[in-house]
Amino acid sequence: MHTHPDDVPLLTALSALADPVRIQLIRDLASRPDWALSCSNFDVPVGRAAKSHHFSVLRDAGLVEQRDQGAKRLNRLRREEFDARFPGLLDLTLRADATE
């Protein structure tokens, strides 16, 4: 199930973007075309279960959409929809100095 960004409260969006691992996932997605990365393609310092949890948080916040293709789960950043709901928030998150 995917939550549309229009249905996401601001606090949920901010909470989803407050974790360094989730910021890295978002940055990786932003740098690639839609549906180019499967969950196993992300190099983050957490185990499989934790990575699954982070993707769940991002889906619930309307940031990520996922679809299964064979044995892979592909991802896309819902940038256009999220930007329409929260203008500028994703741009701030993706800035290089946002987590420093």
Side-chain angles (χ1 to χ4, degrees):
M1 190 60 113
H2 295 91
T3 305
H4 193 278
D6 288 346
D7 300 326
V8 176
L10 178 59
L11 188 55
T12 300
L14 292 173
S15 180
L17 294 170
D19 184 276
V21 170
R22 291 193 288 270
I23 290 174
Q24 185 59 50
L25 294 173
I26 293 296
R27 284 181 175 170
D28 289 349
L29 283 170
S31 70
R32 301 291 297 271
D34 288 351
W35 311 116
L37 294 173
S38 69
C39 292
S40 62
N41 292 127
F42 294 88
D43 185 24
V44 289
V46 296
R48 191 173 176 188
K51 191 187 305 184
S52 178
H53 167 73
H54 286 299
F55 274 112
S56 176
V57 171
L58 293 172
R59 276 194 320 270
D60 291 346
L63 279 154
V64 170
E65 185 176 9
Q66 296 180 309
R67 72 175 183 203
D68 293 335
Q69 185 174 34
K72 296 180 179 182
R73 179 160 287 173
L74 301 177
N75 302 276
R76 85 168 182 99
L77 180 61
R78 298 178 75 174
R79 184 169 195 145
E80 186 175 310
E81 301 104 302
F82 194 82
D83 282 344
R85 171 75 169 122
F86 302 107
L89 182 57
L90 202 49
D91 287 335
L92 288 172
T93 303
L94 294 172
R95 285 183 22 194
D97 63 350
T99 59
E100 297 171 3

